Amino acid sequence: MSELTLTILRLGLLVALWLFVFAIVGVLRGDLYGTRVTQRVRRGTEPSGPIPGASPARPAALKAGMLSGRRGSHPRKLVVTEGPLSGTSLPLRSQGTLIGRSPECALVLDDDYASGRHARIFEQEGRWLVEDLGSTNGTFVDNRRITAPTPLELGTTLRIGRTVVELAR
Amino acid sequence: MNAPIRRLSTFVALLFATLLVSTTIIQVFLAKGLNAREDNRRTLLSTYARERGQILVGDTPIAVSTPVSGEFKFLRTYPAGPMYADLTGYYSFYGAAGGLESTENALLSGSSDKLFYRRVSDLFTGRKAKGANLVLTINAKAQEAAYDALGDQRGAAVALNPKTGEILAMVSKPSYDPNALASHDLAALDTAYKALNGDPARPLVNRAIAGNLYPPGSTFKVVTAAAALSSGRFQPDSVLPGPANLDLPQTTVGLPNSGGRACGADDKVSLTDALRISCNTAFGWLGMELGGDALRQQAAKFGFGDQLAVPMRVTASSVPAELNKPQEAQSAVGQYDVRVTPLQMAMVAAGIANKGVVMKPYLVQSVLASDLTTIESGEPSTLSEAISPDVAAELTTMMTSVVASGTGTAAQMDGITVAGKTGTAQHAPGAAPHAWFISFAPAENPTVAVAVVVEEGGTAGNEASGGRTAAPVAKAIMEAVLR
Amino acid sequence: MTVVSRFAPRRGRNVELLLVVAATAIVLLAYVNVGVNTHGEVPSSLLVLGGGFLGIALAFHLVLRWRAAYADPILLPVATLLNGLGLVMIHRLDIAHGRSIGEGMALRQLMWSALAVGCAIAAIIIMRDHRVLRRYTFTAGLLGFVLLLLPILPVIGSDKNGSKIWISLGPFSFQPGEIAKIILAIFFAGYFVQTRDALSVAGRRVLGLTLPRARDLGPILVAWVLAIGVLVVERDLGSSLLFFGLFVALLYIATERISWIIIGLTLFAAGAYAAYLMFGHVQTRVLLWLDTFSQEALATSDQLAKGLMGMGAGGMVGTGLGRGRPDITYFAESDFIIPSFGEELGMVGLFAILVLYALLVERGLRTAIGARDGFGKLLAAGLAFSVALQCFVVVGGVTRVIPLTGLTMPFLSQGGSSLLANWVIVAILLRISDHARRPVPESGPTPIGEAPTQVVKL
């Protein structure tokens, strides 16, 4: 094998290594701009005006389905829709799901406005209920501070401090 | 918790940056020093893995790498053994040393910048990379004659082509066998090196250019005569005082002639005769007349004090400065602290032979690539114009008389006029003198100039003189070149 | 209408596939280099080995498509490439030492690679959510310390290369520190998530620095005693630094208090200095570090010197794989694999390898930032940082930044326990990143603005 071939192979390996590195850096560059601003035109059936909240880009059809069509079906998990843990989901347990800052809770909130043991979601007679466990800043269901166990439906918003959770299937 | 994680990321980036810096320092800035370390086995292996260039005299290699089996791919061998040892040096595990192996290492190993384009072309043609070959200016017959004529005596001999400066022969005795030092057997190598390095005769030293400097003795009278003639105040037939013993001012010790007799009738002698019979008193007087500075200047014109490389470094010869009167007298006859290399005295002879022009001595005739195309060739160049052509002609005539009827008759050759000068240099009280002879021939159109020194009289001991001990060696060398 | 939308739909699985194929191609190119430089021909086993290697990597990739579709797409290719380069170097050293494929270390390493990837795949499949690990916080704590201290035990602990960080059980030898690294990261993450509130309570201020309360100093003192114990008894600065560094880093992340770092570094520096004054073996290590080429140091060990000379021989672009002499250095395939790469790939190649490690760590830390739960954040950050610290300790050791220690280079070095541990780390990071990058589920509008919220800040 000629010396030239050997040299090409030798330097080729170094070049290939660096191309690999640059390829990765290229992929990561896209990752750095994790959020981007896009223009979208809503369909006419949408309620007019800007919607405050986390996920305005959501297709309208899905929203309609969640809010109306399947209201009777049974929720099986809890989804955080707003706050530092946004996107987290966890299964609902019939014996009760504890929410708060304490590490023993099922949903541990990293939120200065939440209490250690803040609220509990539990099942009773086929329905999910939430009760406040004597929190300082209160628990809100559909923006009303609750004082007694309150039933939760699919899509009902439950707010604890800066965190908003919903039931989902 | 994201802010501290981001700060931790910065810290991690710093850690990696540190590693990049430390790596760079080692692989770029320290690499050269690391590779040059004596205990670096990788360097050793890689240099032994490449075929080193040959050193050639004519067509005959005197240093050649032969492939062997084993971890080290090539063994450096020196077919002529000790004869060329002081020229080649040796190539050992501890690096190249002693001669061309060391000074021309870059060319021989193939790493020289001069070989860059050749390396690139080797890459494309698929030729195996080899070091460059060196062809020397040495005349093999002259080298052999010098080596044999010196025999077992300690000393050195140098022969030059006076017209070009080519070094035709260079021998230093005792010599050594470089093959023993090139051995791949580490234990044998160590034993050989320790023996050579510990030898009081110092065989590893090249006496011709880099040994102890010698007092030149009476051969220096040629330089004194050159200064006298160049001054315009003296002619070859100028009459000088030549008593048996020259009184020196400021001291009770005089400067005697070696035979203890006056150099001529009425203590008078001509300059030519003074040189012919090597009259100390006349030259001592001349030294005081001319002064130390004139002697120094004349010597410098012959190359004294120059830093020469042939390409091995040549120790500079010297005439001391700020001499008082007695020192001037002694220096004029090559005693006191005048110190020379045999090469320098050969250059004095060559300068006179070449109409006063001293050529720069050199050893490498040409550098050949592995495909025998010439990369470089040695070109004659003028070192200095030491004396005028007229003075050179006068000195040549005077030196011819030395061989014809003076102290240097032992250098006579049939049918060839030889010009020469003997020297018998005292160097230590009680020790036998160094025997010197410098010469060139043929006197009409010189093609070889020689300097020979035999330390402490050689085999003749206290009976030694330049004429008896050194002149036959010079004659043998000149004959080898001329016949 | 201007809408800010989350940029999440890119799962990156196709990018990952391309990069895995590219990584395999580079490994095979390296393998060809070794073949032509040592035997003058392209190795005949190229396609078989290449196919097998690609198969292992693709299996992992497919499992990710199936079970962790949103996992980070960079981690797997980088780990694959590093693992493969390590295999090639070990194979190359087998050739230099005249070992055949059958008796060589490369084959064993290849089997370990397959086993390690298998374990990582199993971890991805079994562990659907990294938060289950939190349940084992204290079990992990106990196990971690036991593993860390196991090599001290008289019968099974063994002394290799001056450090007591190995255990031998019959024919198997094993570096428990590698596994301990993961287990301790789980423990520290779980423990700090629980105690972070207490640990971050401010104590008195000294010189503008808010110190923690004296009674909260307990855990760090325990960790410090253990770290110094490892340094003195196991004679290993690397493990000690790794373990204590991990502890302090996670403590800092959990509490966000810089004072913990200062306390930690001060403690460690003081302890290490005291150990230097008191113990001969620590002094020897320091001598070898500071004055590598002195007669005294060379008489003790010329390993570091030989490694440095190897790197020097490599220079900028290296000798080429198979054309240098990395085998001259002892442990050229494990602790000194970085000088081996430095020699044959040169500074240019070594930089690429270091950047690959940096990218791996960066993805780990990015995962930590993206993680949605505190435990995940701490665990990802801890694992990523431990890899970074280990690289620093190893490469810093062979390039004379810090004293040399006996740790192995993640993925590159020969050794089963190291491979296993690092592939499991990658698996855990992939699992956490899948969780972190999974898009937020769609939900209904939440008109908070109208709420008559009573807010009382605690």
Side-chain angles (χ1 to χ4, degrees):
Chain A
M1 197 151 299
S2 86
E3 192 63 19
L4 181 64
T5 319
L6 296 182
T7 306
I8 289 173
L9 280 174
R10 176 161 76 98
L11 299 179
L13 177 61
L14 296 181
V15 171
L17 272 174
W18 277 103
L19 285 180
F20 187 82
V21 167
F22 287 128
I24 290 178
V25 172
V27 171
L28 297 187
R29 239 160 46 104
D31 198 62
L32 275 180
Y33 307 105
T35 42
R36 62 180 174 193
V37 175
T38 51
Q39 294 287 329
R40 274 197 204 185
V41 179
R42 293 280 177 133
R43 271 182 260 161
T45 53
E46 279 293 302
S48 60
I51 301 167
S55 309
R58 181 174 45 86
L62 184 61
K63 185 183 81 175
M66 275 183 78
L67 290 178
S68 55
R70 306 286 178 83
R71 186 158 279 234
S73 63
H74 197 70
R76 278 198 297 270
K77 61 180 180 181
L78 193 64
V79 177
V80 181
T81 59
E82 228 178 276
L85 296 180
S86 177
T88 311
S89 71
L90 69 162
L92 286 166
R93 282 179 293 190
S94 51
Q95 67 269 34
T97 304
L98 208 54
I99 304 174
R101 282 182 9 166
S102 162
E104 84 217 59
C105 296
L107 181 63
V108 183
L109 301 176
D110 181 22
D111 187 338
D112 288 339
Y113 298 105
S115 298
R117 289 158 56 89
H118 196 109
R120 189 169 77 100
I121 298 174
F122 58 100
E123 194 179 22
Q124 204 172 51
E125 294 158 2
R127 293 206 309 169
W128 292 101
L129 294 141
V130 61
E131 73 172 324
D132 190 277
L133 299 173
S135 68
T136 314
N137 289 328
T139 303
F140 297 82
V141 172
D142 283 340
N143 291 324
R144 281 188 300 279
R145 183 166 187 168
I146 58 168
T147 48
T150 308
L152 284 174
E153 302 291 341
L154 265 176
T156 319
T157 59
L158 168 66
R159 197 160 63 78
I160 294 163
R162 286 176 296 163
T163 305
V164 176
V165 296
E166 285 178 25
L167 297 194
R169 278 180 301 107
Chain B
M1 286 192 264
N2 286 349
I5 295 177
R6 290 214 168 82
R7 267 176 238 134
L8 191 71
S9 307
T10 314
F11 176 66
V12 165
L14 268 175
L15 288 185
F16 276 100
T18 310
L19 297 182
L20 295 184
V21 169
S22 68
T23 310
T24 311
I25 289 175
I26 290 166
Q27 299 207 263
V28 178
F29 297 108
L30 299 181
K32 212 165 183 173
L34 286 168
N35 291 340
R37 284 185 62 84
E38 267 184 14
D39 57 356
N40 193 329
R41 198 167 169 77
R42 286 179 178 86
T43 307
L44 199 61
L45 285 166
S46 75
T47 51
Y48 273 88
R50 186 148 41 167
E51 185 172 348
R52 201 171 163 83
Q54 298 184 351
I55 302 177
L56 299 134
V57 169
D59 294 332
T60 316
I62 56 169
V64 60
S65 283
T66 48
V68 289
S69 61
E71 199 176 22
F72 300 98
K73 302 272 188 315
F74 289 97
L75 177 68
R76 193 68 164 168
T77 51
Y78 302 90
M83 191 185 293
Y84 292 97
D86 289 292
L87 300 178
T88 56
Y90 56 92
Y91 180 67
S92 82
F93 280 162
Y94 301 118
L100 295 167
E101 293 279 25
S102 165
T103 60
E104 304 305 279
N105 186 39
L107 283 169
L108 289 167
S109 70
S111 64
S112 167
D113 292 339
K114 290 172 187 163
L115 301 174
F116 177 76
Y117 292 106
R118 195 152 297 275
R119 281 200 297 273
V120 173
S121 89
D122 282 353
L123 185 63
F124 284 96
T125 56
R127 221 178 4 230
K128 205 162 175 68
K130 279 188 198 171
N133 303 314
L134 305 180
V135 181
L136 305 190
T137 56
I138 294 291
N139 176 323
K141 282 193 297 176
Q143 179 80 7
E144 196 175 339
Y147 186 82
D148 291 343
L150 274 171
D152 293 334
Q153 307 174 97
R154 282 183 283 123
V158 176
L160 297 174
N161 180 338
K163 291 173 177 159
T164 58
E166 292 165 312
I167 296 173
L168 302 174
M170 183 182 278
V171 173
S172 168
K173 281 289 185 84
S175 189
Y176 60 96
D177 185 1
N179 289 306
L181 298 175
S183 169
H184 287 181
D185 178 346
L186 200 60
L189 164 62
D190 276 341
T191 314
Y193 181 77
K194 282 201 181 102
L196 288 171
N197 199 38
D199 189 333
R202 301 174 63 204
L204 292 176
V205 167
N206 184 354
R207 292 166 152 81
I209 55 171
N212 287 341
L213 295 169
Y214 298 98
S218 301
T219 54
F220 193 74
K221 285 172 185 162
V222 174
V223 177
T224 309
L229 294 171
S230 298
S231 71
R233 291 164 57 199
F234 298 94
Q235 303 302 320
D237 54 4
S238 299
V239 176
L240 314 174
N245 191 11
L246 181 68
D247 287 329
L248 299 178
Q250 305 159 25
T251 173
T252 53
V253 185
L255 179 67
N257 279 334
S258 59
R261 284 178 294 150
C263 299
D266 302 332
D267 289 352
K268 296 255 191 296
V269 66
S270 71
L271 180 55
T272 302
D273 280 347
L275 189 75
R276 185 173 61 81
I277 62 171
S278 200
C279 177
N280 284 347
T281 50
F283 273 95
W285 177 85
L286 203 50
M288 291 190 286
E289 275 299 301
L290 295 167
D293 286 346
L295 288 180
R296 268 174 66 80
Q297 279 161 17
Q298 183 59 61
K301 285 182 181 174
F302 277 110
F304 280 63
D306 285 355
Q307 297 290 339
L308 286 177
V310 292
M312 293 93 86
R313 224 174 63 78
V314 181
T315 311
S317 302
S318 63
V319 178
E322 292 177 23
L323 300 168
N324 60 25
K325 283 286 167 189
Q327 289 166 350
E328 285 173 356
Q330 286 177 328
S331 296
V333 298
Q335 296 290 342
Y336 185 53
D337 279 344
V338 178
R339 291 292 179 270
V340 299
T341 57
L343 176 68
Q344 177 61 64
M345 290 319 290
M347 286 161 67
V348 170
I352 296 165
N354 193 34
K355 301 187 174 69
V357 178
V358 181
M359 301 302 287
K360 192 167 178 291
Y362 63 97
L363 189 54
V364 179
Q365 186 69 271
S366 54
V367 179
L368 303 180
S370 47
D371 60 358
L372 302 183
T373 54
T374 304
I375 294 168
E376 228 183 20
S377 47
E379 299 291 339
S381 63
T382 303
L383 182 72
S384 63
E385 288 176 23
I387 44 177
S388 69
D390 290 346
V391 171
E394 287 165 357
L395 275 171
T396 302
T397 310
M398 289 162 68
M399 286 171 72
T400 310
S401 71
V402 172
V403 176
S405 58
T407 53
T409 51
Q412 287 173 2
M413 282 189 279
D414 285 348
I416 296 170
T417 323
V418 176
K421 178 71 193 86
T422 56
T424 307
Q426 305 294 335
H427 59 99
H434 296 324
W436 273 97
F437 194 72
I438 66 172
S439 64
F440 56 87
E444 307 78 34
N445 181 25
T447 52
V448 58
V450 178
V452 174
V453 63
V454 179
E455 283 182 22
E456 298 186 355
T459 47
N462 281 318
E463 297 305 307
S465 70
R468 204 171 347 165
T469 312
V473 179
K475 179 188 169 188
I477 299 169
M478 291 187 292
E479 272 188 320
V481 174
L482 298 173
R483 298 230 157 114
Chain C
M1 181 170 71
T2 303
V3 171
V4 177
S5 71
R6 216 170 264 269
F7 179 71
R10 267 181 66 179
R11 297 176 184 179
R13 290 275 79 78
N14 292 335
V15 169
E16 180 181 80
L17 177 62
L18 275 177
L19 287 175
V20 164
V21 171
T24 310
I26 293 172
V27 171
L28 293 184
L29 179 58
Y31 187 60
V32 167
N33 261 283
V34 172
V36 296
N37 283 332
T38 52
H39 297 129
E41 58 186 20
V42 176
S44 54
S45 52
L46 182 72
L47 288 180
V48 180
L49 280 179
F53 188 79
L54 186 62
I56 296 173
L58 284 185
F60 203 156
H61 167 73
L62 290 176
V63 167
L64 288 183
R65 276 190 189 267
W66 172 41
R67 276 298 167 85
Y70 289 94
D72 189 285
I74 306 298
L75 289 168
L76 176 61
V78 171
T80 305
L81 179 53
L82 289 171
N83 193 159
L85 287 176
L87 277 167
V88 170
M89 181 53 82
I90 291 163
H91 165 68
R92 180 252 170 281
L93 287 164
D94 277 343
I95 293 175
H97 287 119
R99 288 186 287 248
S100 67
I101 294 268
E103 63 193 2
M105 293 184 292
L107 188 66
R108 282 173 60 97
Q109 180 81 348
L110 185 60
M111 293 191 303
W112 272 110
S113 304
L115 186 69
V117 172
C119 286
I121 289 175
I124 291 278
I125 294 177
I126 295 168
M127 187 175 65
R128 304 288 297 270
D129 189 327
H130 62 272
R131 284 170 296 187
V132 298
L133 293 174
R134 199 177 156 187
R135 286 189 213 140
Y136 307 108
T137 297
F138 286 94
T139 321
L142 190 65
L143 190 61
F145 289 120
V146 167
L147 281 176
L148 199 60
L149 300 178
L150 216 47
I152 301 175
L153 295 183
V155 181
I156 55 170
S158 74
D159 197 331
K160 278 193 191 174
N161 204 10
S163 287
K164 285 190 175 180
I165 52 173
W166 290 79
I167 56 172
S168 300
L169 287 172
F172 300 102
S173 61
F174 178 69
Q175 257 184 314
E178 296 283 352
I179 310 293
K181 186 171 68 180
I182 306 176
I183 292 178
L184 286 175
I186 295 172
F187 167 60
F188 292 155
Y191 176 71
F192 287 139
V193 150
Q194 276 184 31
T195 54
R196 54 188 291 242
D197 288 343
L199 292 173
S200 52
V201 168
R204 70 178 63 184
R205 283 178 70 83
V206 175
L207 298 172
L209 194 72
T210 311
L211 293 178
R213 293 177 300 184
R215 65 177 176 205
D216 295 328
L217 287 171
I220 198 170
L221 286 175
V222 170
W224 174 72
V225 167
L226 274 164
I228 298 299
V230 167
L231 173 64
V232 169
V233 182
E234 297 185 9
R235 312 186 161 194
D236 191 58
L237 176 73
S239 300
S240 170
L241 199 62
L242 186 61
F243 155 69
F244 196 68
L246 179 64
F247 178 87
V248 173
L250 289 189
L251 181 56
Y252 167 63
I253 294 172
T255 61
E256 310 198 10
R257 288 215 177 279
I258 212 100
S259 55
W260 280 119
I261 294 185
I262 291 165
I263 291 169
L265 288 182
T266 312
L267 279 176
F268 192 80
Y273 185 67
Y276 169 73
L277 293 180
M278 285 157 63
F279 298 98
H281 63 262
V282 182
Q283 285 162 10
T284 308
R285 292 258 159 166
V286 172
L287 170 75
L288 285 171
W289 168 45
L290 291 178
D291 207 0
T292 315
F293 289 100
S294 67
Q295 288 302 321
E296 203 185 349
L298 287 177
T300 314
S301 164
D302 61 353
Q303 186 189 24
L304 181 56
K306 282 183 163 160
L308 288 171
M309 287 191 251
M311 291 181 74
M316 286 289 283
V317 291
T319 57
L321 279 171
R323 309 187 95 187
R325 290 303 301 267
D327 52 302
I328 288 175
T329 314
Y330 324 112
F331 293 96
E333 68 287 331
S334 55
D335 299 7
F336 272 70
I337 201 158
I338 283 293
S340 302
F341 276 105
E343 178 171 359
E344 299 211 314
L345 297 184
M347 189 194 82
V348 173
L350 194 49
F351 266 31
I353 289 175
L354 290 176
V355 171
L356 285 175
Y357 278 108
L359 287 170
L360 189 79
V361 172
E362 190 270 344
R363 292 324 288 161
L365 292 172
R366 185 69 187 75
T367 296
I369 287 173
R372 291 166 185 159
D373 61 307
F375 176 72
K377 274 184 193 300
L378 283 172
L379 184 56
L383 293 176
F385 185 65
S386 75
V387 172
L389 204 53
Q390 188 160 351
C391 288
F392 179 75
V393 165
V394 174
V395 184
V398 297
T399 57
R400 288 184 67 199
V401 178
I402 58 166
L404 184 63
T405 67
L407 288 184
T408 56
M409 199 66 186
F411 298 108
L412 285 184
S413 287
Q414 183 257 336
S417 41
S418 168
L419 267 185
L420 201 65
N422 288 299
W423 272 108
V424 169
I425 287 178
V426 165
I428 297 175
L429 286 176
L430 283 168
R431 174 49 75 208
I432 300 175
S433 72
D434 174 57
H435 194 263
R437 288 159 53 94
R438 204 167 272 279
V440 183
E442 302 295 342
S443 58
T446 46
I448 287 178
E450 304 154 20
T453 316
Q454 299 168 281
V455 174
V456 177
K457 177 92 167 74
L458 268 180

